[in-house]
Amino acid sequence: MMAIFDDPVTKDRNLLSPPVARAQGFYFYDKKTAYNAWFTFTLVFNSTEHKGTLNIMGADMMNEEVRDLTVVGGTGDFFLSRGIATIHTDATEGIKYFRLKMDIKLYECH
């Protein structure tokens, strides 16, 4: 199964909070014996605080409490960014709905 998404990203857990970015991309389940997924998405920022994008991709081992996805690039304020997006599953309702908490750490490369 493949899912395409365009979801708001907020600073807190409230879906109705003002978004700081949008997460646009897709994921597909890639293992028959467990729910593991492969994600690729872009965080699109367009606010007074940040403008640009961050591109994130990698395997999401959904049964693990904490997972890391790779930040593979960016544009605007995040031009040529590299780093790690640490993912925690914050809430689930079966396989139809889930909410993720992300902690993004960027590093400089010259």
Side-chain angles (χ1 to χ4, degrees):
M1 180 179 109
M2 177 185 280
I4 298 170
F5 58 91
D6 179 7
D7 295 328
V9 176
T10 61
K11 286 186 178 183
D12 59 25
R13 294 178 174 170
N14 188 345
L15 178 63
L16 300 177
S17 293
V20 296
R22 295 212 56 88
Q24 300 173 330
F26 67 91
Y27 63 92
F28 56 87
Y29 295 108
D30 60 353
K31 194 171 181 183
K32 291 182 181 180
T33 59
Y35 283 113
N36 292 326
W38 195 87
F39 272 86
T40 184
F41 62 97
T42 301
L43 296 178
V44 180
F45 295 87
N46 188 13
S47 68
T48 55
E49 192 175 346
H50 295 293
K51 293 207 183 306
T53 64
L54 277 175
N55 300 308
I56 300 170
M57 65 188 309
D60 181 8
M61 305 304 176
M62 296 166 70
N63 290 333
E64 295 181 20
E65 185 177 337
V66 177
R67 296 92 72 195
D68 290 323
L69 300 177
T70 307
V71 176
V72 296
T75 65
D77 292 341
F78 307 102
F79 183 68
L80 294 177
S81 291
R82 299 288 187 268
I84 298 293
T86 301
I87 308 285
H88 304 263
T89 302
D90 194 43
T92 61
E93 291 179 21
I95 63 170
K96 295 183 178 190
Y97 171 82
F98 59 91
R99 181 176 62 226
L100 301 177
K101 178 182 174 188
M102 278 190 294
D103 181 27
I104 300 173
K105 298 211 180 339
L106 302 176
Y107 60 88
E108 292 185 41
C109 67
H110 299 280

